[in-house]
Amino acid sequence: MSLLGHLTDRIRQDGPMSVADYMAECLLHPTHGYYTTRDPLGTHGDFVTAPEISQMFGEVIGLCLAQGWIDQGSPGRFALAELGPGRGTLMADILRATRGVPGFHDAAQVVLLEASPVLRGLQAEALDAHAPSWIVSVGDLPELPLFLVANEFFDALPIRQFLRDGDGWCERLVGLQGDQLAFGLGPRATQAGLATRLEDTRDGDLVELCAAAVPIVTETARIIRSHGGMALVIDYGDWRSLGDTLQALKGHEYVDPLATPGQADLTAHVDFETLALAAGATGCAHTRLTPQGVFLERMGITQRAQSLAGALTGSKLETLVRAHRRLTHPEEMGNLFKVLGLYPKTAMPPSGLGT
Ligand code: SAH
């Protein structure tokens, strides 16, 4: 049975489902899920991410992590971890860029959290030389200093959507109109998780809640607080999300999120305030939310681009210049994407990120 058939049956049986349940089914259904069944990345896929645009992205992240490791006394064993590593390109670039950092590779245990069997296969190929291990939940992270990166991971986690109605909220639900999937609204109710959002919203405003992010950040922050380390979370979004940011991408084009379930990438902007509050509640410090372009510039991406450019001419040089612009320019990814760093209160903040 197709995913549409499965969703239709489920809605007929149980009634309309939350946007979060719809996203989870579309992305991670064991046999029809978008991530479970394919490699979505690259020019022939549905979308391109920063590490797939240029090696410079991962190199800069690698230097930031290695600098943090040195600042915290170069612990002799640590977990070098990534959430949602895609094709393994970012981790491979991190490892290549840190080859020359004495002791870093010997101390590192590479740990990957990945839900997709297809992508786990690609990661195994890309990182073969570094004996990575895979975990199924952040609860399986080792009790070691943790140096972690997550690029475009949190945007793939399911969100619920709520429309403000007076002092209550109506949940946006996915139901049926005839045989077609269609959005509708649930009954008005109070929502404990949205109490603070009554301050900054008006009737008719839509807000999003990503409950799945909280336990992930809480566990990551607990390990960093207890054992040291840092986390770099890079994604598109802002401090408090407002409005409908659910989007579907297929073949590099925006499509209707309900039109082709399981065939398009579904994401939502990351509400960084939720992540920062969860980290703070666990006793971890966090940096100021910093635009990706500013972070990369501070970490020396332009010098790195100049040094790579020295060996290039013609179309290869043009590609490099375009990649630098795409990653850093405010009109491209530079401002839309943000970086949030988590670190122990007793340590220096990650390089390139202010407090
Ligand atoms: N970080 C990579 C890939 C981003 S795409 C890059 O920048 O290129 C999102 C990644 O998160 C994919 O690897 C996807 O399979 C993984 N992912 C999405 N939801 C997940 C979940 N709930 N648990 C584990 N991995 C997940």
Side-chain angles (χ1 to χ4, degrees), residues 178-242:
D179 290 341
Q180 305 275 316
L181 295 175
F183 285 115
L185 285 178
R188 181 174 176 278
T190 50
Q191 292 291 338
L194 291 175
T196 56
R197 300 308 302 269
L198 291 172
E199 298 156 11
D200 70 322
T201 55
R202 289 184 306 192
D203 239 16
D205 280 347
L206 188 144
V207 296
E208 298 175 334
L209 268 188
C210 184
V214 174
I216 297 175
V217 173
T218 301
E219 180 59 5
T220 302
R222 182 194 66 76
I223 295 181
I224 291 173
R225 186 203 62 209
S226 312
H227 301 285
M230 63 192 241
L232 296 175
V233 176
I234 307 137
D235 229 307
Y236 57 133
D238 224 316
W239 193 247
R240 247 181 201 206
S241 71
L242 184 62

Side-chain angles (χ1 to χ4, degrees), residues 27-28 35-36 40-41 47-52 57 82-90 113-116 119 123 136 150-153 155-158 216 265:
L27 294 178
L28 296 176
Y35 283 118
T36 1
L41 292 151
F47 60 98
V48 179
T49 56
E52 301 296 334
F57 182 78
E82 184 172 358
L83 308 181
R87 291 174 167 172
T89 308
L90 172 55
L113 174 75
E114 173 56 66
S116 160
L119 292 176
Q123 292 154 21
V136 293
N151 184 62
E152 291 210 45
F153 168 76
D155 67 11
L157 298 183
I216 297 175
D265 184 40

Side-chain angles (χ1 to χ4, degrees), residues 32-55:
H32 296 296
Y34 178 74
Y35 283 118
T36 1
T37 53
R38 80 198 69 211
D39 166 15
L41 292 151
T43 39
H44 300 294
D46 292 311
F47 60 98
V48 179
T49 56
E52 301 296 334
I53 291 172
S54 168
Q55 66 183 74

Side-chain angles (χ1 to χ4, degrees), residues 134-163:
W134 283 267
I135 55 174
V136 293
S137 135
V138 284
D140 303 328
L141 283 167
E143 295 290 335
L144 288 173
L146 174 64
F147 289 80
L148 176 142
V149 63
N151 184 62
E152 291 210 45
F153 168 76
F154 284 95
D155 67 11
L157 298 183
I159 48 130
R160 291 169 73 186
Q161 295 187 318
F162 296 91
L163 202 71

